[in-house]
Amino acid sequence: TSTTIKAGHESALMVRNSSTANLSFCTITRHKIANIQVCQKSCINILHSSVEESEGIGLQIREQSIVNVSNSTFAKNKLSQLFLTDRSIISMSDSVITNGQQVGLIAEKKSNCTILQSVISHHANSGLTVLDSDFTMLNCTIEHNNGNGLLTLNNSCATVEQTYFKGNRMPHVG
């Protein structure tokens, strides 16, 4: 069975203070600040779920937290679909980040992001932006973003292999 959590005043789920959570077969939608927040050295596994239509960020990860995502979708969030900061880590596979009203994913402040076999498409700005962080991508498709497919800035390290870039309005990799 599937669970839906929608239309809250702040966030559907906040994982904090070194806590751990597992989220599977859920739809998290229409929250004001962020659909999901993970902070203060916490961890979450997100499987077979959809995080969409937040008035803020889809998934916010900060303060040395760790997130694993598999077979999930992030769509139609007003700010960034995923925001990773403060030495946090995300590993994502077999997932989709699409139709964002700004950037698909932002990684900053010494964070680490690994994306495998996923699609990042149709964002109003860049698909992926990496600032002073490490980024690895393998077997992905980055397409039809109004900005760059992948924008790396400020001492970032990006490794991209066997990834298909198509139809991004600005340079595929900048």
Side-chain angles (χ1 to χ4, degrees):
T1 61
S2 175
T3 300
T4 299
I5 305 171
K6 69 178 183 177
H9 291 288
E10 292 185 16
S11 300
L13 181 60
M14 177 174 274
V15 184
R16 56 187 290 174
N17 295 328
S18 300
S19 299
T20 300
N22 293 300
L23 185 72
S24 1
F25 299 99
C26 288
T27 298
I28 309 293
T29 184
R30 299 184 185 153
H31 293 85
K32 296 196 185 293
I33 295 173
N35 281 328
I36 301 170
Q37 294 185 60
V38 185
C39 58
Q40 300 168 336
K41 298 182 179 180
S42 295
C43 303
I44 188 171
N45 295 304
I46 301 172
L47 307 169
H48 302 283
S49 294
S50 179
V51 179
E52 56 192 38
E53 297 181 8
S54 172
E55 291 182 31
I57 296 167
L59 171 60
Q60 183 180 60
I61 311 154
R62 61 184 199 271
E63 301 161 344
Q64 300 178 40
S65 295
I66 300 172
V67 174
N68 296 311
V69 177
S70 181
N71 296 290
S72 295
T73 299
F74 296 84
K76 301 178 186 175
N77 295 289
K78 286 189 179 176
L79 298 178
S80 60
Q81 308 261 32
L82 295 100
F83 182 74
L84 177 68
T85 189
D86 303 325
R87 298 180 185 269
S88 294
I89 299 169
I90 187 169
S91 299
M92 175 182 290
S93 67
D94 303 299
S95 295
V96 175
I97 306 170
T98 190
N99 294 311
Q101 295 183 28
Q102 291 190 23
V103 176
L105 179 143
I106 297 173
E108 67 169 18
K109 296 182 181 175
K110 309 268 185 229
S111 293
N112 187 300
C113 177
T114 301
I115 303 176
L116 308 172
Q117 299 173 184
S118 295
V119 175
I120 294 90
S121 68
H122 297 95
H123 292 92
N125 199 330
S126 296
L128 304 150
T129 299
V130 182
L131 301 138
D132 192 30
S133 294
D134 293 329
F135 179 80
T136 302
M137 177 175 280
L138 178 62
N139 289 331
C140 292
T141 299
I142 314 301
E143 62 184 357
H144 305 296
N145 297 290
N146 270 341
N148 301 91
L150 169 61
L151 178 61
T152 58
L153 302 165
N154 301 350
N155 300 313
S156 294
C157 179
T159 302
V160 179
E161 294 184 15
Q162 300 174 343
T163 293
Y164 179 69
F165 290 87
K166 176 186 172 191
N168 296 298
R169 191 164 187 190
M170 295 180 69
H172 295 303
V173 178

